[in-house]
Amino acid sequence: MAIRQPEADEAARIREVVENSMTTSFTLSPGQIGAVTDEQFADDAVAERLGDENTVFRVAETGAEIEGEAIAGVVEGRLEGDRGEVNWLFVDPEHRGRGIGTELYETVTETLRDRGAETLCVTVLEANTEGHGFVERFDLEHADDRRVDIADESLVKYVYAEPDVDADLPSDSTDADVSEDEFPEAEAEDGSLTMTDVGQTVYIDRDEPESGTAASFYVTYEDADLTEQYGFYCANCGSLDISMDNMDRLECGDCGNAHAERSGEAYDESYL
């Protein structure tokens, strides 16, 4: 396997890898995946990355162990001042289990360090149910959330950073923090976010997000101390009508926002 910078005319294969990986590992609809792929890895977007001296864009190319040679993985990172940020990492499902993800991650982070990065962070779309576990294997911690607009979709990125490092994102300067404005129908009350359901006030724990296809779900409690769980809140429409199946998957009864459980058991070690 070789890690190298791609050529501009390889954009079509890069998009194929990205789409295959997202289809396997992301809780997004096919339409959402296609839109994100087409925007972020279009021919001109790939060419722009290759021409940007602050961007590290690499692909993994398989060798003789697989018939022919093919791009099997993609990674992109960016340097802003003394901060390095890994934004995207994809491995084609057919090529997983060979350490490609680890090789790509180590290559991009080492390159960013060599170029002057003193600290590193990694952003992972909330909908990437397997990517979170992969990042946590490198001793990074979930430090912050950012809401970003990609292909006309409002999506949430989890920010993973080294312990005790400020997770502010230099290359996402247009992104806004996930704030009270992202909680429809909720009201601020003495520093808490509350909802009223059939005459009962419940409290939303913003520190307990669960990934959803349209927006996050949040655990709700009956008391301000967050000790007695009430249920869940949908940040897409503001509903408390959330059901859970026997696989611990959530679904909003009002808007259809759905959830795929992310846990240590769900993590796919074939990324490494």
Side-chain angles (χ1 to χ4, degrees), residues 45-176:
V46 171
E48 182 178 351
R49 284 180 169 90
L50 293 175
D52 183 358
E53 63 180 12
N54 291 323
T55 296
V56 179
F57 195 39
R58 299 289 185 268
V59 295
E61 184 176 66
T62 59
E65 74 274 10
I66 296 176
E67 183 177 353
E69 291 187 346
I71 292 176
V74 180
V75 68
E76 185 254 309
R78 181 171 174 78
L79 181 68
E80 288 281 346
D82 60 0
R83 170 68 61 84
E85 178 185 332
V86 181
N87 296 304
W88 300 107
L89 193 157
F90 301 99
V91 177
D92 193 305
E94 293 186 3
H95 298 276
R96 292 180 182 176
R98 296 178 170 84
I100 293 174
T102 299
E103 287 281 347
L104 287 169
Y105 177 80
E106 291 178 348
T107 296
V108 71
T109 54
E110 288 173 6
T111 303
L112 290 169
R113 294 281 195 193
D114 290 342
R115 294 187 180 182
E118 296 181 5
T119 59
L120 292 170
C121 67
V122 181
T123 63
V124 180
L125 282 180
E126 180 184 42
N128 183 357
T129 58
E130 295 174 358
H132 303 277
F134 173 78
V135 171
E136 289 166 355
R137 291 295 180 100
F138 297 97
D139 297 325
L140 300 180
E141 298 178 352
H142 179 198
D144 199 5
D145 294 344
R146 292 288 186 271
R147 186 169 293 279
V148 295
D149 293 326
I150 302 176
D152 297 324
E153 296 280 351
S154 180
L155 303 173
V156 173
K157 277 184 176 183
Y158 283 22
V159 184
Y160 291 88
E162 297 159 306
D164 303 320
V165 171
D166 181 10
D168 187 36
L169 290 180
S171 63
D172 278 352
S173 57
T174 60
D175 299 345

Side-chain angles (χ1 to χ4, degrees), residues 29-46:
S29 70
Q32 289 174 312
I33 290 172
V36 172
T37 301
D38 290 344
E39 178 187 278
Q40 294 293 305
F41 295 93
D43 289 359
D44 56 349
V46 171

Side-chain angles (χ1 to χ4, degrees), residues 186-201:
E187 297 182 359
E189 179 180 305
D190 296 329
S192 300
L193 278 181
T194 64
M195 285 282 295
T196 300
D197 183 44
V198 293
Q200 179 177 357
T201 298

